[in-house]
Amino acid sequence: MSTHLRLVTRGDDAGSCRSANRAICESVNAGVLRNVSIMACGPAFDEAAEIFRGRDDLCLGLHVTLNAEWEKVKWGPVAPRESIASLLDENGYFLETPNITLERGFNADEAMTEIRAQLQKARDAGLDIRYMDEHMGVSWIGLREAIAQLCRDENVLDAYLVPSLSQKQNSNDCVHNWIQSVRTASPGTYVLVTHPGCEQDDMKIFTRENLQPGDVARERDAERRAWCDPRLPQMLRELGVETARYDEVLKAGF
């Protein structure tokens, strides 16, 4: 393994539900999770803002969200619906996946209008947004350069610039899988993207095609427990891995 590997530890989907907020907060307080990505359009955003506002020990990011993939949990835009109609379904919610949004023939200017509105909402809530990342990797549909430029214009770090750690799935033990991933990684800086959750009713309804009710909640609860497992920081120290924030590995304006 590398003699020097930096790991940007990230928890996504704060604001998506109260169980996600609770799980991410618990994971952060355990000491290894150092970056939190917040959905400004999520139904539990206000609670997320209350929890993470003023947390100087964290690097907070906007989790740019233009799609709503779950069958029973939907989110809609921050911008006025009439201003971004090409991104929405007949009920006023985001379309299910980036693929569908692309096939629909969305308007890129409308997409950027929504992203700017999400960033402004997060800032208005008192959140110190340091970076911007993407729910479902949405920039690939033709928004990559526009999002990069917005990051430069707003002095926000572009999380896209840090490659993801290739995650092993050799067992049901997330700590084991993460450590195996680190062991096989080449020297460099990577982001470990996770979605901590709790096996609670508001997360058990996160489901879609080919998933059973409760599957997502169980998987995300396993990630929460891994972040809180005392083995994780010990193993990372033994391997010489440095955990990092985005604002420690990236420079604004690039």
Side-chain angles (χ1 to χ4, degrees):
M1 195 212 77
S2 165
T3 56
H4 184 68
L5 190 148
R6 289 192 300 181
L7 195 61
V8 177
T9 49
R10 191 175 105 198
D12 282 7
D13 290 3
S16 62
C17 67
R18 296 189 68 186
S19 289
N21 293 342
R22 170 191 159 194
I24 294 171
C25 185
E26 184 178 345
S27 300
V28 162
N29 290 340
V32 184
L33 184 61
R34 304 189 62 202
N35 303 266
V36 173
S37 298
I38 302 175
M39 302 173 69
C41 61
F45 168 78
D46 289 342
E47 181 191 63
E50 185 68 26
I51 291 172
F52 297 110
R53 183 187 302 120
R55 289 286 303 252
D56 294 335
D57 56 325
L58 298 176
C59 189
L60 301 180
L62 176 69
H63 197 48
V64 171
T65 303
L66 300 178
N67 301 97
E69 69 271 33
W70 308 114
E71 292 178 353
K72 296 182 179 179
V73 180
K74 295 295 182 183
W75 31 73
V78 172
R81 283 177 165 80
E82 63 273 13
S83 69
I84 58 160
S86 69
L87 300 174
L88 307 178
D89 65 15
E90 63 275 10
N91 297 312
Y93 297 116
F94 289 125
L95 299 170
E96 186 175 358
T97 67
N99 304 66
I100 294 173
T101 303
L102 181 62
E103 292 168 1
R104 166 88 166 260
F106 78 104
N107 183 294
D109 290 338
E110 292 182 3
M112 296 310 299
T113 294
E114 172 60 19
I115 294 171
R116 291 187 187 92
Q118 291 181 12
L119 177 60
Q120 191 60 52
K121 179 178 179 179
R123 286 174 165 171
D124 288 346
L127 295 171
D128 181 13
I129 298 298
R130 299 285 183 91
Y131 69 90
M132 192 178 297
D133 67 15
E134 309 156 21
H135 186 62
M136 304 188 77
V138 72
S139 73
W140 73 265
I141 65 176
L143 299 173
R144 174 88 298 270
E145 289 305 318
I147 290 176
Q149 186 60 54
L150 179 61
C151 288
R152 290 190 288 268
D153 292 344
E154 296 293 335
N155 201 35
V156 173
L157 302 168
D158 188 354
Y160 181 86
L161 298 176
V162 180
S164 293
L165 182 72
S166 179
Q167 294 193 37
K168 308 295 182 182
Q169 301 294 334
N170 298 326
S171 78
N172 293 324
D173 182 346
C174 290
V175 172
H176 172 81
N177 291 337
W178 296 347
I179 292 299
Q180 287 299 105
S181 300
V182 167
R183 287 184 186 277
T184 57
S186 300
T189 299
Y190 303 91
V191 57
L192 174 60
V193 178
T194 67
H195 302 80
C198 297
E199 280 197 83
Q200 300 295 325
D201 289 346
D202 62 342
M203 185 161 279
K204 288 179 180 178
I205 61 173
F206 278 45
T207 188
R208 59 179 183 266
E209 188 179 2
N210 299 323
L211 292 173
Q212 296 299 315
D215 284 353
V216 173
R218 281 189 292 274
E219 291 173 2
R220 297 189 172 195
D221 191 79
E223 293 190 337
R224 174 190 64 82
R225 288 184 278 109
W227 285 121
C228 299
D229 192 321
R231 293 178 301 158
L232 182 61
Q234 178 183 346
M235 291 180 175
L236 290 174
R237 283 194 300 270
E238 290 173 354
L239 292 170
V241 175
E242 173 191 354
T243 59
R245 298 161 42 136
Y246 277 111
D247 54 5
E248 295 171 337
V249 303
L250 292 176
K251 293 182 179 179
F254 291 91

